[in-house]
Amino acid sequence: MEIQYLKGVGPAVAAKLNKLNLFETKDALTFFPHSYQDRRKRKKIAQLVVDTDCFLVGKVLRIDESTKGNFHITKALLSDETGQISCIWFNQPFIKKNLKIDFPVFLQGKVEFDFLSHRKVIKVIDYEYVDARNIDRIVPIYPLTKGIYQKQLRSIIEKALELELINLKDPFPENIRQQHNLLVLDKAIAYFHYPLDEKTYLAAKHRLVFEDFFYLQFSLAINKLLTRKQEKGIAFKVHNTLSSQYFNNLPYKLTKAQERVISEVRADMQRDIPMNRLVQGDVGAGKTEIAMAAILTALENDYQVAIMAPTEILAYQHYQKMLKYLLPLGIRVELLVGSLQEKLKVRKQYLTASGSAQLLVGTHALIQDKVTFSNLGLAIIDEQHRFGVQQRSSLMKKSGEVIDLLVLTATPIPRSLTLTLYGDLDKSILDELPPGRTPIKTLWLKKMDKLTIDYIKSELDKGNQAYWVFPLVEESEKIDLKAATEGSQYLQNGVFQKYKVGLLHGKMKQKEKDVIMAMFRNKEIQVLVATTVIEVGVDVPDATVMVIEHGERFGLSQLHQLRGRIGRSNKPSTCILLSTTRTLISKRRLEALVSTTDGFKLAEVDLDIRGPGDYFGSKQSGLPTMLVANLIKDEKILLQAKQVATLLASDFRNPLYRPLIEALKLMPHLYVGLEGMN
Ligand code: ADP
Ligand code: MG
């Protein structure tokens, strides 16, 4: 039922509830409290202690109103069997109308000492009329939105739950529930909103955390069964024909770490067990060379290769690099991205399907249905953390054979996450930066000054280049774009008059973006004003300066990725963060960035500031949002869920588990790629 038809809601309130993602009454089932109020811990008036918070119930004896300057004050005298106390509301003139003399109310407030009257008073935080249901229990506290009050929302959710819980069937068979100590679903939801005590709360939470993990694991497990029935993959041979030509022509020597990881990758490829390898290495560690080694090995065996990157700019960069090195070796490289003209796309799809295109570089466009390969043998995903779980498996299904997979990421991944998302991946760590890199110097300035501008100019005069980054978020896209555009004009006509300033942002046509990037690479542009489109992967080694406007508006890992665009050669680089922020959290972020360039250390700080829930939100990791679970704290339940999921998935056609499959169908992000299972 639509939530607006619930008694006491109506269209106006419903519009506000929509903002909380409450559209239908059934949405209440997964609308969980972020904390609770334990109203069983009530105090009597005589027990109240100054400077503490309290809950109490008392009868209203008298109500007074007064004004003092701009303040409107409502004062109610409350009594219980142990005494009386004044309770105060500021600037809520409607309170008087709502309070009724001689009726008992429930109050939450802060006890303070009033020096004028020499008595204790209560500054009221919240109050409601006593009805037997909600004064002696633990009540939920929900996230709010403007114009909705806690007690109002509480009552709406309670009504919706009453309606929905009666019809809620638990998809888990009873024996499985008992075996694994899982509370039945309707009870778990009811208790998670209104726990009777700590024990029921924990049991409810356990079930819901399990729920969060289970379906993800279940979907992954079925996927694995469907795609990798026979575990036999391609056993590539290392011919070293193309590889040696490529690596002998490299202008630098591979690092020890690169050599080690390349040999791990080649060893995987030579076995007839399909490769599933994750390469993790900080920004600038040289992950592209690992990809090259794998690509060349596959090409030497006459297989096609697909490499997928999260942005068109990055895909284009890879395409250019590979074209430059592989074309002379007689390899046909093609680019497939969403913004190509339809005609061109069809052509590339044809080239891929016929096998003429040997290496296909692209974005998400690669995993569309229309794309088929003639003999794909290896898939590579760059900046894997930008993709969803299922995008990986969609790419894997592009071949009739069980192909090899290599994924690259700069994001440090804790064990529990590896288990969840990359459960079946082996891990290689690229823990060494190419030699001669001087650590990037990072400064945090309140505003740009002449000294710094002079420094930037001196870098430009040496033939180096600069990025000048503006924030851009969807919510304020127009204003942000304007700031970036005006910023570039301002710089061009002002301090950088003598230089060429360019502008790059996500709203530009791909063609324009390519032209600008090419000009920047060729040094026809010296200062590139950009939004975060350059955040991942972009590699222009002579860029030695980065200015970041409004540093406080970026996340920490985003800042780290951005800064990773400089310091990519042996020239010293400088990153200048501009921010006048005074909030504690953004200060911590900026300070952390100034103090270290180590991606792992920054990830720790980030985790600490944001909390795991946020850090592993879907944007960061490609992980579906967890409603209740916390990936770090709930690792035990994750393991349990994985175990149960693997067990049930192995028999997923069993009619007993049909309800679980039906439940999965209602989660489109997890069901992608499973359509064929029936
Ligand atoms: P990332 O790990 O961030 O993807 P890239 O593969 O883009 O890093 O490499 C970063 C830069 O370092 C590139 O300009 C690349 O040419 C250079 N590079 C890679 N390996 C080496 C090496 N062994 N020695 C010197 N420079 C290297
Ligand atoms: Mg890269």
Side-chain angles (χ1 to χ4, degrees), residues 254-396:
L254 293 179
T255 63
K256 283 252 151 35
Q258 281 171 320
E259 276 175 2
R260 189 191 69 237
V261 175
I262 287 177
S263 67
E264 285 166 355
V265 167
R266 283 193 177 141
D268 278 359
M269 291 182 76
Q270 281 171 283
R271 286 186 297 169
D272 67 357
I273 303 163
M275 168 165 76
N276 276 298
R277 188 164 288 275
L278 171 76
V279 173
Q280 187 181 314
D282 211 346
V283 285
K287 292 183 288 293
T288 316
E289 301 306 346
I290 312 298
M292 285 307 288
I295 291 170
L296 292 163
T297 303
L299 292 174
E300 283 168 6
N301 289 264
D302 293 326
Y303 277 99
Q304 284 177 298
V305 180
I307 171 162
M308 181 161 78
T311 65
E312 295 204 352
I313 290 182
L314 183 52
Y316 192 67
Q317 173 183 297
H318 281 324
Y319 169 67
Q320 294 231 294
K321 168 161 186 167
M322 288 162 194
L323 203 61
K324 177 173 156 198
Y325 286 100
L326 300 184
L327 193 63
L329 304 184
I331 301 296
R332 177 140 190 193
V333 187
E334 291 292 341
L335 176 75
L336 182 62
V337 293
S339 67
L340 286 182
Q341 275 182 344
E342 199 50 41
K343 226 169 60 195
L344 261 177
K345 265 192 238 172
V346 172
R347 167 113 188 106
K348 307 247 166 160
Q349 283 155 8
Y350 166 74
L351 290 172
T352 310
S354 69
S356 310
Q358 291 159 284
L359 172 58
L360 190 67
V361 184
T363 53
H364 300 79
L366 290 188
I367 51 180
Q368 286 178 340
D369 285 343
K370 289 179 213 145
V371 182
T372 55
F373 290 81
S374 91
N375 62 337
L376 183 65
L378 168 72
I380 300 178
I381 302 179
D382 194 17
E383 308 288 350
Q384 150 77 29
H385 58 285
R386 290 301 202 85
F387 290 99
V389 183
Q390 299 300 347
Q391 282 162 334
R392 171 168 45 126
S393 60
S394 304
L395 185 59
M396 300 300 287

Side-chain angles (χ1 to χ4, degrees), residues 212 216 389 420-421 616-618 621-627 669-670:
D212 270 346
L216 174 62
V389 183
T420 309
L421 282 181
F616 299 121
S618 41
S621 56
L623 190 72
T625 323
M626 300 280 153
L627 291 174
H669 57 288
L670 294 182

